[in-house]
Amino acid sequence: CSNKANLINEDSGDNCNAWEESTDMTKDLPSCQLPEFKYSTAEELDGLVISAGLDNYGGGGYILNIKGPNKGIRANLVKLQGQKWIDNQTRAVILEFASYNVNINLFVVATIAAEWLPGGGIRSYARLD
């Protein structure tokens, strides 16, 4: 059983495949160059703190850009699943996107989160602006 996390002990280091620690000896290996295991700061992402109901998240994190054909997206997700991108240390997975409806001239920004509860289970959160 894990404790509730907070912004102070948020992971912010770069890692290798399957969250192996990147060291001076391994940092140049291909398995340590995967962008999904590199930390991006809130400043780099123009991110803000996200309050998803259970916890607050600092606006930075480990990013997977979901774009391109469905087949490519699916292949990337399967690859990350094999590399245990989401594991027992994952606090939340947050999906953010914007959409525009040209017929009614309306933008919507969606934030959808799945938060892992300390005792097990997942809590969902959604916000539309």
Side-chain angles (χ1 to χ4, degrees), residues 12 30 46 62 70-71 76 82 118:
S12 61
D46 289 326
Y62 300 92
N70 288 344
K71 189 174 184 177
N76 207 4

Side-chain angles (χ1 to χ4, degrees), residues 27-103:
K27 67 181 180 184
D28 295 325
L29 294 174
S31 63
C32 294
Q33 300 301 313
L34 300 171
E36 296 87 4
F37 291 95
K38 301 285 185 195
Y39 184 81
S40 298
T41 66
E43 291 79 24
E44 291 170 334
L45 300 170
D46 289 326
L48 300 172
V49 173
I50 295 172
S51 182
L54 179 66
D55 216 340
N56 297 317
Y57 306 96
Y62 300 92
I63 307 301
L64 170 64
N65 286 315
I66 300 175
K67 61 182 179 181
N70 288 344
K71 189 174 184 177
I73 293 169
R74 184 179 307 266
N76 207 4
L77 290 172
V78 167
K79 177 185 82 171
L80 288 176
Q81 182 180 19
Q83 295 168 336
K84 303 199 182 322
W85 195 61
I86 297 173
D87 65 4
N88 62 353
Q89 298 298 312
T90 301
R91 291 173 48 206
V93 173
I94 301 169
L95 174 65
E96 294 181 295
F97 63 92
S99 183
Y100 176 65
N101 185 326
V102 71
N103 295 331

